[in-house]
Amino acid sequence: MVDSMPPINNEALVAGQMVSKPRLIPRDLRVEKKQDTVELGQQGAVSNAQAQNIVLERAMEKLRNVVQQARAELGLSDNTILDTSPEATANRIADFALGFYSQYAENNGLEDSEESRSQYAEFIGEAIGQGINEARDILTALNSLSDNVNSNIDTTHSLVQDRLDNFVANGLS
C-alpha cells in the first residue's frame, strides 16, 4: 500500500487531477503595507487631569441614571420641577424616615411611647447623619461643595433634626 503525501503548495489531488485550493485569507484582507496597521499608545501616558475627567464623566453619568431612576420610581416626569430648598429637602427626608417608624416599632416589639420614638429617632438620625456626611464627602471630592451648598446642607440637617425632635415629643401627627 502506498500513501501519497499531500502537496505543499495550494494544490490538491482530486480525482487524479491537481486543482487549486481556495486561499484561507482573501488577498484583499491581507496586511501587505505597514500603513495598514494600527498602533496604540503613541500619544504618551494619560495625565492625571485626563484620568480624573474620565472618572468624573463616568460618575456624572451614573448619577444622572440614579436621578432618572428615582424620578421614574417617584412618578416624576423629566419636566417636573423639584423644590431643592433646605426646607423641602428636609421634609422629604423626614417624611421618608418617619414612614418606617411603625414597622420599626413592630419589629422591635415597641409600644408607641416617647421612649420608643426617642430610640427610633436616635437610630434613624444616625443613619441620616451618615448619609449627609457621605453626600458632603462626595461633593468635596467633586470640588462641588461651595460655601452656599455647605450652608444648605447644614440647614437641611438641622431641619430634619427638628422634625425628629418634634416626632419624639408629639408622635406622628
Side-chain angles (χ1 to χ4, degrees):
M1 177 169 161
V2 176
D3 287 334
S4 62
M5 292 195 46
I8 297 175
N9 59 14
N10 269 352
E11 295 179 345
L13 185 61
V14 176
Q17 293 186 328
M18 296 299 283
V19 291
S20 292
K21 294 194 286 185
R23 296 179 184 265
L24 294 177
I25 301 175
R27 183 175 297 260
D28 57 334
L29 293 180
R30 290 188 188 164
V31 176
E32 295 182 4
K33 301 176 187 168
K34 189 169 179 96
Q35 67 264 22
D36 290 339
T37 60
V38 176
E39 294 184 22
L40 303 173
Q42 296 298 312
Q43 301 300 319
V46 175
S47 71
N48 285 342
Q50 289 170 320
Q52 287 178 348
N53 282 337
I54 290 168
V55 170
L56 180 60
E57 287 174 24
R58 289 181 182 169
M60 290 302 291
E61 183 61 31
K62 286 184 178 187
L63 183 58
R64 283 186 206 98
N65 290 337
V66 167
V67 169
Q68 187 66 25
Q69 182 181 357
R71 281 181 163 283
E73 289 176 5
L74 293 171
L76 301 173
S77 64
D78 288 339
N79 58 357
T80 301
I81 297 173
L82 187 62
D83 184 356
T84 58
S85 67
E87 295 78 15
T89 303
N91 282 332
R92 282 191 299 274
I93 293 169
D95 289 345
F96 181 78
L98 294 175
F100 291 102
Y101 171 68
S102 61
Q103 187 65 46
Y104 175 86
E106 182 180 317
N107 289 346
N108 292 287
L110 302 173
E111 295 292 324
D112 185 24
S113 66
E114 189 171 331
E115 183 180 332
S116 63
R117 291 190 301 266
S118 177
Q119 180 182 341
Y120 180 72
E122 183 178 335
F123 165 75
I124 202 68
E126 287 177 12
I128 291 168
Q130 180 180 343
I132 287 173
N133 288 334
E134 289 173 3
R136 200 183 309 260
D137 290 346
I138 291 168
L139 292 172
T140 299
L142 296 173
N143 294 321
S144 298
L145 187 64
S146 66
D147 290 340
N148 186 42
V149 171
N150 196 41
S151 175
N152 285 342
I153 292 172
D154 289 339
T155 302
T156 300
H157 193 198
S158 176
L159 291 169
V160 169
Q161 191 57 52
D162 290 347
R163 283 277 309 272
L164 292 177
D165 292 344
N166 183 17
F167 162 72
V168 170
N170 303 312
L172 292 172
S173 54

